[in-house]
């Protein structure tokens, strides 16, 4: 358009004060679930923290809950997942670098996690409630974005294994436990803080790590704390930019555990070569990789030939974090669904007031609260490992809980997505990410069958673990006849475990339900405990969510679980 040309007039038909081109007003839509306090708006979490000895951290958890609920914090999770990690084998000059680039949002989430001690606090500040407080923070932070929590978990979980080699622990532990995040791709000697990963799985073995073929060759003197060079491969290595990894390899004396840094002490690159990044359906903000070890320098941790026993300390803690992460996924799904239904109307009434939707929402809320109650009870057991009952309970209840809670999460995520409807399937909603993330914890760190076999292993090696489990569950006897019958039948079915492996899933399912019911009967409101027992402990044919029996106080269960925002 030239300067002398006049702009044509726009003649729009008008009705009073509006143009006909304005097609509609946007209404009957919920406000975004943001700028809310994840701690204050979660009644079940606040109650569980208080009863499991975490009350002293109320102010700290309030502050973290406010941070986790900020719109800009929530946005970090979306941006980290919209920008997958990118792998570079070499720099522009041809040097092998094995470097993975992450989006700045991922690094910011990592910074928040490490500066708030999600990787360190129970080790640096042990005592009553230490694991409970850390679990509560992890539970809130994982609701924002779950994938980056993988290296946070591994760094946290590495301490018990590394401490089995005190000379290495003296060197590495101060940097592992530093509440600082340093993502630079530089030698660990140039850093004041590091992250730790793990590398166990190989192509031919999967969960059967004793089938590993990676070899460890002593550089000089053999034995614990001594240097070896590792040759072989690893099929699943998550967070490959960690500064060091706990690795399983076959030494002359059998399968052993090693601490392998990405850089050698002289500042040269350790020959640990990433082959490619995994193309995952979920957990996309975090990189997972396939690697080859071409004489990678590493130091033996623990006794030679006892590698599984050494690294299992790390595995146990990562399994606990799988429970927290899956419980967190359930909580965020319930928060999203209940928030949506509180604001959305259809067929003349708010969705949250309609009986059938109430049945579904309340059922989802029950599952979420039961998962949280179970998880924080195990957190307290981890805080009290000097007490025999707590040690035995944690040993058995951890694989049971990891199996059950993680396995219940995928269908829970889907059902919450359906409560929201079509908008819940859109990628600008968190629900697709929660759904894609939901199977991960059930498979990683030992799938369902592996957890059931570990439960059997615990019963065989320490039969007193079963006595501790039933003693804990029995604390609720006499309060609900349905629970008493359920627990009695479960005890009877343990009288003969000759075919336990074949029946393991059924027994482990019921163990999880028994402990969840016991905790809710003892600590939750009557409406919650009654609905859980009625819907989970009684024989029934219904399988889907939304089958709570008539008489359930669904409205109070939903109110308890719904964050009030807007």
């Amino acid at each position: 358009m030239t300067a002398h040309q006049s702009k044509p007039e726009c003649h729009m038909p008008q009705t009073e004060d509006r143009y006909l081109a304005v097609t509609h007003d946007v209404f009957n839509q919920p406000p975004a679930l943001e700028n809310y306090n994840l701690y204050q708006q979660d009644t079940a979490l606040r109650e569980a923290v208080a009863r499991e000895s975490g009350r002293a951290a109320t102010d700290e958890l309030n502050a973290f809950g406010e941070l986790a609920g900020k719109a800009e914090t929530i946005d970090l999770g979306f941006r980290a997942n919209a920008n997958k990690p990118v792998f570079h084998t070499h720099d522009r000059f041809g040097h092998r670098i094995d470097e993975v680039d992450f989006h700045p949002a991922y690094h910011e989430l990592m910074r928040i996690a490490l500066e708030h001690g999600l990787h360190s606090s129970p080790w640096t500040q042990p005592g009553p409630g230490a694991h409970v407080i850390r679990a509560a923070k992890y539970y809130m932070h994982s609701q924002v974005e779950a994938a980056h929590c993988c290296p946070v978990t591994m760094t946290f979980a590495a301490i018990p294994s590394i401490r089995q080699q005190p000379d290495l622990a003296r060197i590495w532990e101060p940097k592992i436990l530093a509440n600082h995040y340093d993502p630079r791709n530089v030698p660990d000697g140039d850093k004041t803080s590091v992250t730790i990963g793990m590398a166990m799985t190989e192509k031919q073995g999967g969960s059967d790590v004793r089938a590993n073929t990676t070899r460890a060759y002593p550089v000089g003197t053999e034995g614990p704390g001594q240097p070896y060079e590792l040759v072989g491969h690893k099929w699943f290595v998550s967070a490959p930019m960690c500064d060091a990894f706990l690795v399983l390899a076959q030494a002359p004396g059998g399968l052993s555990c090693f601490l392998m840094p990405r850089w050698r002490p002289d500042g040269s690159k350790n020959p640990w070569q990433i082959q490619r990044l995994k193309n995952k359906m979920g957990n996309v903000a975090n990189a997972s990789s396939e690697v080859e070890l071409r004489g990678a320098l590493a130091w033996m941790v623990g006794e030679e030939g006892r590698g599984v026993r050494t690294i299992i300390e790390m595995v146990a803690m990562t399994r606990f974090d799988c429970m927290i992460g899956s419980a967190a996924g359930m909580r965020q799904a319930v928060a999203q669904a209940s928030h949506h239904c509180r604001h959305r109307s259809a067929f003349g009434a708010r969705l949250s007031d309609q009986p059938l939707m109430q049945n579904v929402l309340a059922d989802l809320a029950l599952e979420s609260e039961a998962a949280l109650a179970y998880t924080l009870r195990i957190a307290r057991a981890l805080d009290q490992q000097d007490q025999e009952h707590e040690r035995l309970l944690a040993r058995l209840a951890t694989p049971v809980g990891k199996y059950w809670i993680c396995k219940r999460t995928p269908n829970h995520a889907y059902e919450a997505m359906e409560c929201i409807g079509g908008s819940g399937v859109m990628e600008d909603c968190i629900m697709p990410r929660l759904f894609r993330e939901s199977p991960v914890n059930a498979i990683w760190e030992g799938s369902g069958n592996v957890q059931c076999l570990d439960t059997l292993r615990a019963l065989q090696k320490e039969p007193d673990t079963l006595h501790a489990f039933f003693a804990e569950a029995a604390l609720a006897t006499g309060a609900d006849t349905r629970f008493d019958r359920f627990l009695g039948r479960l005890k009877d079915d343990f009288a003969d475990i000759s075919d336990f492996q074949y029946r393991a899933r059924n027994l482990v399912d019921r163990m999880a339900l028994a402990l969840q019911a016991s905790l809710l009967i003892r600590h939750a409101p009557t409406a919650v405990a009654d609905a859980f027992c009625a819907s989970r402990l009684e024989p029934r044919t219904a399988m889907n969510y939304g089958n709570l029996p008539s008489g359930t106080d669904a409205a109070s269960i939903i109110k308890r679980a719904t964050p009030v925002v807007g």
Side-chain angles (χ1 to χ4, degrees), residues 62 85 89 114 125-126 142 190 193 211 221 254 285 368 382 394 409 503 527 537:
N62 264 328
T89 57
L114 269 60
Q125 302 171 32
S142 186
D190 296 339
S193 64
T221 304
S368 172
L382 293 174
T409 305
R503 297 185 293 128
L537 306 187

Side-chain angles (χ1 to χ4, degrees), residues 157-330:
I159 289 295
S161 291
I162 293 176
R163 282 180 174 174
Q164 295 183 54
Q165 195 60 47
D167 51 339
L168 291 177
R170 281 192 296 270
I171 298 170
W172 284 90
E173 190 169 320
K175 293 184 179 184
I176 296 171
L177 297 180
N179 287 355
H180 175 66
Y181 176 56
D182 186 347
R184 293 178 301 154
N185 186 21
V186 299
D188 53 87
D190 296 339
K191 293 186 173 188
T192 58
S193 64
V194 298
T195 53
I196 305 294
M198 64 194 305
M200 296 192 296
T201 309
E202 297 183 6
K203 298 181 181 75
Q204 71 284 348
S207 295
D208 183 10
V209 296
R210 295 189 183 279
N212 284 7
T213 61
T214 297
R215 309 297 302 183
Y217 299 95
V219 173
T221 304
E222 300 181 26
Q226 297 303 313
Y228 288 70
E229 289 188 338
L230 310 183
V231 178
H233 77 281
K234 295 296 172 182
W235 185 228
F236 279 96
V237 180
S238 283
M241 292 305 290
C242 285
D243 296 284
F245 302 82
L246 285 177
V247 182
L248 290 180
Q250 299 285 355
L255 190 64
S256 304
C257 181
F258 298 86
L259 180 65
M260 188 213 71
R262 282 199 300 113
W263 298 82
R264 288 176 174 247
D266 63 4
S268 64
K269 184 182 176 299
N270 217 359
W272 151 277
Q273 295 185 355
I274 300 172
Q275 302 305 297
R276 62 174 178 172
L277 298 187
K278 298 287 192 180
N279 188 16
K280 297 176 290 184
M281 64 164 279
N283 205 251
V284 297
N286 174 47
S288 298
S289 63
E290 301 167 20
V291 302
E292 288 186 346
L293 299 83
R294 300 176 178 272
L297 186 64
W299 283 261
M300 185 178 286
V301 180
E303 297 179 47
E304 185 172 6
R306 306 298 296 274
V308 173
R309 181 174 181 177
T310 300
I311 207 169
I312 201 68
E313 299 282 348
M314 183 178 187
V315 172
M317 298 309 300
T318 59
R319 288 174 176 174
F320 173 64
D321 271 15
C322 286
M323 290 166 54
I324 306 174
S326 289
M330 287 189 191

Side-chain angles (χ1 to χ4, degrees), residues 39 45-63 125-134 136-137 383:
Y39 190 67
L45 175 61
R46 288 187 284 108
E47 292 177 357
V49 167
R51 72 170 173 263
E52 306 298 359
S53 304
R55 191 188 301 272
T58 297
D59 291 343
E60 180 183 348
L61 292 172
N62 264 328
Q125 302 171 32
H131 279 284
V132 173
I133 296 163
R134 183 258 175 187
K137 282 186 179 180
D383 280 326

Side-chain angles (χ1 to χ4, degrees), residues 235-510:
W235 185 228
F236 279 96
V237 180
S238 283
M241 292 305 290
C242 285
D243 296 284
F245 302 82
L246 285 177
V247 182
L248 290 180
Q250 299 285 355
L255 190 64
S256 304
C257 181
F258 298 86
L259 180 65
M260 188 213 71
R262 282 199 300 113
W263 298 82
R264 288 176 174 247
D266 63 4
S268 64
K269 184 182 176 299
N270 217 359
W272 151 277
Q273 295 185 355
I274 300 172
Q275 302 305 297
R276 62 174 178 172
L277 298 187
K278 298 287 192 180
N279 188 16
K280 297 176 290 184
M281 64 164 279
N283 205 251
V284 297
N286 174 47
S288 298
S289 63
E290 301 167 20
V291 302
E292 288 186 346
L293 299 83
R294 300 176 178 272
L297 186 64
W299 283 261
M300 185 178 286
V301 180
E303 297 179 47
E304 185 172 6
R306 306 298 296 274
V308 173
R309 181 174 181 177
T310 300
I311 207 169
I312 201 68
E313 299 282 348
M314 183 178 187
V315 172
M317 298 309 300
T318 59
R319 288 174 176 174
F320 173 64
D321 271 15
C322 286
M323 290 166 54
I324 306 174
S326 289
M330 287 189 191
R331 169 57 193 166
Q332 183 58 208
V334 167
Q336 293 289 333
S338 61
H339 170 76
H340 176 89
C341 293
R342 175 173 173 262
H343 290 275
R344 178 82 165 170
S345 295
F347 308 111
R350 283 194 308 179
L351 289 175
S352 58
D353 292 334
Q354 298 187 26
L356 186 52
M357 182 61 82
Q358 285 186 331
N359 200 323
V360 175
L361 288 175
D363 212 355
L364 292 171
L366 291 177
E367 195 72 37
S368 172
E369 182 161 350
L372 173 65
Y374 190 113
T375 299
L376 288 197
R377 176 63 186 92
I378 302 309
R380 175 158 67 89
L382 293 174
D383 280 326
Q384 299 175 341
Q385 288 294 282
D386 57 326
Q387 300 178 26
E388 186 68 357
H389 171 77
E390 301 297 313
R391 184 189 71 80
L392 293 168
L393 179 65
R395 173 64 189 94
L396 189 61
T398 297
V400 171
K402 197 275 187 188
Y403 164 84
W404 178 254
I405 294 170
C406 298
K407 192 166 286 297
R408 295 288 287 178
T409 305
N411 197 47
H412 187 277
Y414 154 70
E415 199 70 61
M417 181 185 289
E418 187 175 289
C419 291
I420 298 173
S423 295
V425 185
M426 301 300 110
E427 290 293 349
D428 51 3
C429 173
I430 197 174
M431 286 309 307
R433 175 157 33 110
L434 293 180
F435 184 66
R436 287 193 298 268
E437 203 75 35
S438 63
V440 172
N441 287 329
I443 296 171
W444 287 5
E445 310 307 334
S447 60
N449 283 355
V450 171
Q451 300 309 309
C452 290
L453 293 174
D454 192 38
T455 300
L456 175 58
R457 189 178 302 110
L459 294 175
Q460 292 172 333
K461 289 189 174 182
E462 291 190 273
D464 285 346
T465 57
L466 188 62
H467 301 314
F469 184 92
F470 278 125
E472 179 70 26
L475 293 174
T477 53
D480 190 297
T481 56
R482 296 164 298 193
F483 171 76
D484 294 348
R485 288 194 300 268
F486 185 88
L487 189 64
R489 289 193 297 267
L490 181 60
K491 286 182 177 179
D492 290 343
D493 285 346
F494 272 96
D496 178 13
I497 60 170
S498 59
D499 64 342
F500 181 97
Q501 187 172 143
Y502 185 80
R503 297 185 293 128
R505 286 200 172 207
N506 177 270
L507 292 172
V508 174
D509 283 351
R510 291 156 62 200

Side-chain angles (χ1 to χ4, degrees), residues 55-99:
R55 191 188 301 272
T58 297
D59 291 343
E60 180 183 348
L61 292 172
N62 264 328
F64 193 81
E66 182 178 359
L67 173 62
K70 287 182 179 294
E72 51 267 37
T73 306
I74 293 170
D75 185 57
L76 293 173
F78 281 92
R79 287 192 284 134
N81 278 270
N83 297 273
K84 288 184 177 183
V86 178
F87 173 47
H88 303 284
T89 57
H90 296 77
D91 67 14
R92 66 191 182 97
F93 303 106
H95 303 116
R96 181 90 194 196
I97 57 173
D98 290 293
E99 186 167 10

Side-chain angles (χ1 to χ4, degrees), residues 359 363 408 411 415 534-549:
N359 200 323
D363 212 355
R408 295 288 287 178
N411 197 47
E415 199 70 61
S535 59
R536 269 72 168 172
L537 306 187
E538 291 285 87
R540 59 178 186 154
T541 56
M543 298 299 174
N544 288 319
Y545 285 103
N547 276 282
L548 300 179

